[in-house]
Amino acid sequence: MTAQKFITLQPTGDKLPLVGFGTARIPNEDTEQVVYDAIKADNRLIDGALSYGNEAEVGQGVRRAIADGIVKREELFIVGKLWNNFHEKQHVKSVFQMTLDNYGLGYIDLYLVHFPFATEYVDPKQPFRLANDKNELKLIKAPLQDTWRELEALVDAGLIRNIGISNFNVQSTLDLLSYARIPPSVLEIEHHPYLQQKRLIKWVRSQGIQVIAYASFGNAVFEAVPPGTEHLENLMKHPVIANIAEKHNLSTGQVLLAWAVSHQVVVIPKTVNVNRMKSNLDIDHVKLDDEDQQKIDDLEANARFNDFYINNYGFEFPLFN
């Protein structure tokens, strides 16, 4: 495989691989082996979250790969996320400690605020949801400034290397930058040809913030899609993507990943198939030409699939408006 490429994070100078591995929606009973296989396939970036429900199993896979000599800890880049129920300052450190214990590592490389809003506290041992039993979104008054101060203290203690944000827009990021002593190094967002978010990406980069994409395969990732997007063809089967894939002797997944990486956007595709793990990583040699790029760029539809709408999350919440 061609040497993996990286981008550099501020302010630490840490190297973040451009291609990594996502762990959302992997069944718990499969997660340890899948993560172990992903690392064995040469993945060095592992993106996880407490809310995925499989964080402990991710940690088991990581530790087994280290114990078997496949990789050294310092060669891995491990990501965790703070869920909405734990933004209040008295909960941040204890919930982060759960993540640290689940991973079984002395530190993690990047810890993200999962969403820019806070909901009522729940027992962290129970499954996390956005709505309660009545499908109500119970927002609370937990200033993000207080949350961020706790994260900065965890950086100071050497338990987190980098802190960042996820699903933030320009306004929420701008507010954070007004008081952050340690600025966010990363913004993780939904990103694919149907939702390119070029203006947002350009602006956060001007602030020294790098971008990680989730849902790089667009509507192929989601079982339900928001109203008004049903007509959009599955990106993994789209004729434009399929034709480019045939032209370069690639899979459609490789084309979608290579397109994002060509824009220096980090991708974290998830698969339980070892061969696809390897092919997802094997895109360093891919050079999409100007015609390819333009055809993919023209697929922009401003279509967000991970949105809060009745059919998906059970409630309406215009977070991204």
Side-chain angles (χ1 to χ4, degrees):
M1 193 187 99
T2 309
Q4 200 169 359
K5 295 181 180 179
F6 303 83
I7 54 176
T8 302
L9 300 184
Q10 298 182 24
T12 60
D14 287 352
K15 304 296 184 183
L16 176 64
L18 273 165
V19 183
F21 187 78
T23 60
R25 297 179 301 279
I26 303 175
N28 289 50
E29 62 271 19
D30 301 331
T31 300
E32 177 184 345
Q33 186 63 46
V34 168
V35 170
Y36 180 87
D37 289 341
I39 295 173
K40 193 173 182 180
D42 221 11
N43 277 287
R44 295 298 177 259
L45 163 60
I46 306 296
D47 180 274
L50 189 63
S51 65
Y52 298 164
N54 60 0
E55 204 177 53
E57 291 79 10
V58 171
Q60 290 165 6
V62 168
R63 294 194 305 274
R64 180 152 67 98
I66 295 172
D68 287 355
I70 294 171
V71 68
K72 297 177 181 178
R73 168 63 185 99
E74 58 269 25
E75 295 171 335
L76 291 171
F77 197 101
I78 306 296
V79 181
K81 302 182 186 74
L82 177 71
W83 189 238
N84 308 62
N85 302 111
F86 313 115
H87 280 207
E88 292 171 288
K89 60 183 179 181
Q90 67 267 32
H91 300 310
V92 174
K93 290 181 180 178
S94 60
V95 169
F96 169 76
Q97 189 61 49
M98 285 186 64
T99 288
L100 201 60
D101 293 342
N102 282 337
Y103 285 146
L105 304 171
Y107 68 95
I108 68 170
D109 300 274
L110 175 63
Y111 196 57
L112 306 175
V113 178
H114 209 148
F115 282 99
F117 64 92
T119 54
E120 59 186 348
Y121 177 80
V122 298
D123 183 344
K125 295 179 182 178
Q126 73 180 49
F128 310 129
R129 297 188 301 167
L130 285 165
N132 61 20
D133 292 337
K134 298 179 181 178
N135 281 336
E136 298 169 331
L137 183 66
K138 290 289 187 178
L139 300 173
I140 60 170
K141 294 182 178 180
L144 186 62
Q145 183 169 357
D146 292 343
T147 309
W148 199 254
R149 292 281 179 264
E150 296 301 313
L151 297 180
E152 289 174 329
L154 289 166
V155 173
D156 293 340
L159 299 175
I160 304 173
R161 289 282 304 166
N162 303 271
I163 46 179
I165 50 182
S166 177
N167 297 299
F168 278 51
N169 62 15
V170 167
Q171 179 55 47
S172 51
T173 305
L174 184 63
D175 179 66
L176 172 60
L177 291 173
S178 71
Y179 54 75
R181 173 173 60 87
I182 301 174
S185 58
V186 165
L187 169 64
E188 186 170 309
I189 55 172
E190 180 180 344
H191 176 268
H192 44 74
Y194 285 149
L195 184 69
Q196 299 176 29
Q197 305 206 69
K198 291 182 178 180
R199 293 177 69 200
L200 172 62
I201 291 173
K202 181 179 179 180
W203 183 79
V204 297
R205 282 184 175 153
S206 75
Q207 305 302 307
I209 302 170
Q210 298 286 3
V211 176
I212 297 177
Y214 70 80
S216 294
F217 301 145
N219 50 354
V221 176
F222 299 96
E223 294 181 6
V225 296
T229 66
E230 302 94 340
H231 67 288
L232 293 172
E233 189 149 6
N234 184 321
L235 265 180
M236 294 284 274
K237 301 176 181 178
H238 196 290
V240 166
I241 306 300
N243 289 338
I244 294 172
E246 184 177 4
K247 173 182 173 181
H248 294 282
N249 194 27
L250 301 169
S251 69
T252 52
Q254 286 178 307
V255 170
L256 291 168
L257 297 177
W259 169 79
V261 167
S262 72
H263 295 290
Q264 295 294 289
V265 172
V266 176
V267 293
I268 46 170
K270 180 218 68 171
T271 178
V272 299
N273 182 286
V274 173
N275 288 331
R276 282 197 294 272
M277 291 176 187
K278 294 176 180 178
S279 66
N280 287 344
L281 281 166
D282 189 24
I283 59 172
D284 287 352
H285 65 285
V286 178
K287 301 297 182 186
L288 301 178
D289 59 37
D290 291 344
E291 182 183 9
D292 299 331
Q293 293 279 5
Q294 189 59 55
K295 286 180 177 179
I296 297 175
D297 287 354
D298 288 345
L299 296 179
E300 173 66 72
N302 195 31
R304 185 184 302 278
F305 301 115
N306 188 37
D307 205 348
F308 302 106
Y309 62 99
I310 295 294
N311 293 339
N312 195 351
Y313 286 95
F315 58 88
E316 286 284 358
F317 183 48
L319 175 66
F320 300 103
N321 289 7

